């Protein structure tokens, strides 16, 4: 196993952009969003530009600022179920689809063969038996702890290309990376009866101290990952391990409804403006159409749609085949012959996969319409002071406050809404401290998608903890900020240099989101 990155993505992206700019026939489609906001009239474009411009007035809350998800925002009472409400602008008929999707999201799958024909097909290798088990209450997962046997964090596995043919596949964006030849693209720590699990994630932490202005000391824990109890022999020595904690589910449909042009306009892969921030679009190839599309979901923005993200979770996490991932044996590899020989749960009278449509459609609809809760105390003086500090130290260079979604969104509930996700949905170099050494498409081993911040202040209420970042190493928001490096290093240093009152105010602002 290796932690060394294989960093071809920047070269691939540069060649792609130059070829497109020159009109070269290299087999790539036009860049997503290159035609601008064709969904808007000129008058609408002017309105959108004005309303999404970052504020300079911190004396009061902005208009509609408390409604983070626009008209879809949940105004229900704040409690442990705050991430589980449907968008408030759904029709009565859509509410029915949401509730059916919720039932399937909670569904516990069983191994084949089973008398419950609509529920079998689990695995044969898996990390969880239900979507809800990883996204408990639709919130954030938990990191592994030393000595623990379960968590809602798993390893993504990938190796570099082995030859020119594989490199050509990467360059054409036909694949995101290459799986371990024995263990596939994900380490599954559970298996159906009669089959060995693949292995166990192990983590140990060492503590490092950072001193803030005024003398306050913060201890950061640096994780050290390994795999134990490998069930099928050694991994490829070049395989990288990337821990991924499950993210919260809110606002996904609204994120998909952001126009590609608005995200692409924020990209600056070569730091042309010299501000130290070089956000990069995660372009991926849609397997159904063959076109280039904009990735915006997943820790490395590897998926372009909620449907694709849901399909991959079904296949990789639970081992359930579906229309976009039809392999009935899930992540079993040719080296795992016993796994491939296990019975599957395909019921021909229901469809060609274990989760045929409308199962995937309903789970996708549910995932798209989990509402973002309304802000708390957005107009309070400490919150506004913290908002100013957030802007002043440069956090909005990556955590873009607001967008107006596209008028022609597929679902009218998400159409033409002013939303406040606090993300640019681009890839950024976050430095050595957060590097996983794993390439995913155009994202190299130091790059991560900017995660949206809406709902972050309710993590404790919903999930019962305050673990943050892709692997949960940060035990609170202060630690999460202090792990920022790379393009975010300057903002991190400015946070360290804030007076304690300003740091506390900034945290108050984040907790209001």
């Amino acid at each position: 196993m290796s932690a060394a990155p294989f960093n071809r993505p920047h070269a691939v992206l540069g060649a792609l952009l130059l070829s497109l700019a020159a009109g070269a026939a290299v087999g790539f489609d036009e860049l997503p969003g290159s035609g601008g906001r064709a969904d808007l009239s000129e008058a609408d474009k002017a309105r959108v530009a004005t309303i999404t411009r970052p504020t300079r007035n911190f004396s009061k809350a902005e208009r509609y600022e408390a409604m983070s998800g626009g008209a879809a925002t949940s105004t229900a009472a704040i409690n442990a179920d705050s991430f589980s409400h449907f968008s408030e602008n759904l029709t009565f008929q859509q509410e029915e689809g949401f509730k059916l999707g919720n039932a399937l999201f909670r569904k516990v799958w069983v191994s084949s063969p089973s008398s419950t024909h609509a529920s079998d097909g689990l695995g044969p290798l898996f990390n969880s038996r239900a979507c809800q088990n990883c996204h408990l209450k639709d919130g954030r997962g938990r990191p592994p702890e030393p000595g623990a046997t379960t968590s809602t964090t798993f390893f993504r596995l990938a190796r570099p290309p082995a030859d020119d043919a594989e490199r050509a596949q990467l360059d054409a964006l036909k694949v995101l990376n290459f799986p371990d030849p024995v263990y596939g693209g994900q380490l599954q720590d559970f298996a159906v009866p009669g089959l060995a699990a693949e292995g166990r994630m192990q983590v140990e932490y060492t503590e490092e101290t950072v001193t803030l202005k005024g003398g306050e000391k913060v201890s950061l824990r640096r994780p050290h990952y390994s795999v134990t109890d490998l069930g099928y022999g050694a991994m490829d020595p070049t395989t990288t391990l990337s821990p991924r904690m499950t993210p919260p589910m809110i606002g996904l449909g609204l994120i998909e409804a952001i126009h590609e042009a608005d995200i692409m306009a924020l990209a600056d892969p070569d730091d042309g403006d010299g501000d130290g921030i070089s956000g990069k679009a995660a372009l991926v190839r849609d397997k159904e159409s063959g076109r280039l599309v904009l990735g915006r979901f997943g820790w490395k923005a590897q998926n372009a749609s909620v449907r694709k993200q849901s399909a991959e979770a079904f296949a990789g996490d639970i081992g359930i085949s579906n229309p976009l991932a039809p392999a009935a044996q899930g992540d079993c590899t040719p080296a795992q012959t016993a796994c491939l020989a296990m019975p599957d749960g395909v019921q021909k009278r229901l469809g060609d996969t274990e989760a045929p449509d409308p199962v995937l459609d309903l789970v996708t609809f549910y995932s798209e319409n989990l509402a973002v809760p309304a802000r708390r105390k957005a107009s309070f003086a400490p919150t506004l002071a913290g908002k100013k500090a957030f802007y002043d130290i440069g956090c909005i260079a990556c955590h873009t406050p607001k967008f107006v979604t596209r008028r022609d969104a597929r679902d009218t509930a998400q159409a033409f809404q002013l939303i406040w996700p606090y993300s640019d949905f681009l890839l950024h170099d976050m430095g050595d401290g957060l590097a996983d050494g794993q390439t995913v498409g155009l994202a190299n081993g130091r790059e991560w998608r900017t995660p949206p911040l809406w709902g972050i202040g309710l993590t404790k209420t919903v999930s019962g903890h305050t673990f943050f970042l892709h692997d949960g190493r940060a035990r609170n928001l202060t630690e999460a900020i202090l792990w920022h490096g790379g393009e975010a290093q300057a903002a991190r240093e400015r946070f360290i240099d804030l007076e304690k009152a300003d740091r506390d105010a900034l945290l108050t602002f984040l907790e209001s989101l």
Side-chain angles (χ1 to χ4, degrees), residues 140 248 250 252 255 399 421-423 425 449-456:
R140 196 179 301 269
I250 56 173
L252 300 184
I255 294 171
H399 291 284
Y422 284 92
S423 171
F425 304 100
R449 180 201 71 156
T450 306
L453 298 181
W454 52 14
I456 198 168

Side-chain angles (χ1 to χ4, degrees), residues 279-481:
K280 184 173 74 178
L283 302 180
V284 297
R285 190 170 292 284
D286 180 73
K287 291 184 178 179
E288 294 178 292
S289 68
R291 296 176 56 247
L292 283 181
V293 289
L294 179 67
R296 58 184 86 189
F297 298 104
W299 284 106
K300 297 216 175 192
Q302 67 270 25
N303 287 318
S305 69
V306 179
R307 180 177 169 85
K308 183 67 163 60
Q309 184 80 3
S310 300
E312 289 202 352
F314 261 129
D317 301 348
I318 313 177
I320 296 295
S321 60
N322 59 78
L324 296 188
Q329 273 72 33
D331 197 33
C332 294
T333 68
Q336 297 170 323
T337 54
C339 183
L340 293 174
M342 293 301 243
D344 61 56
V346 176
Q347 310 292 329
K348 287 297 184 181
R349 62 187 176 82
L350 300 176
D352 295 329
T353 60
E354 293 158 330
D357 289 329
V359 174
L360 180 60
D361 285 340
L362 287 167
V363 170
T364 299
F365 185 78
Y366 171 76
S367 302
E368 289 172 338
N369 284 287
L370 284 162
V372 181
R375 289 275 303 279
R376 285 84 49 213
K377 303 180 180 179
S379 61
F380 283 34
T383 305
L384 293 170
K387 179 181 175 182
K388 183 177 186 302
F390 186 85
Y391 279 53
D392 286 348
I393 69 173
C395 299
I396 67 166
C398 300
H399 291 284
T400 304
K402 47 192 170 175
F403 294 88
V404 171
T405 60
R406 54 193 311 152
R407 271 199 181 275
D408 57 356
R410 185 181 68 257
D411 189 335
T412 56
Q414 279 109 38
F416 208 54
Q417 300 295 318
L418 172 62
I419 62 172
W420 305 72
Y422 284 92
S423 171
D424 59 9
F425 304 100
L426 297 172
L427 299 170
H428 293 276
D429 182 332
M430 295 301 293
D432 289 332
L434 292 178
D436 67 344
Q438 188 170 110
T439 290
V440 181
L442 291 178
N444 68 32
R446 292 164 54 100
E447 291 175 326
W448 301 93
R449 180 201 71 156
T450 306
L453 298 181
W454 52 14
I456 198 168
L458 293 176
T459 301
K460 178 72 171 178
T461 300
V462 172
S463 301
H465 65 76
T466 55
F467 295 115
F468 299 108
L469 301 178
H470 68 279
D471 57 1
R473 69 179 68 186
R475 292 164 289 196
N476 51 56
L477 291 170
T478 297
E479 289 185 26
I481 295 169

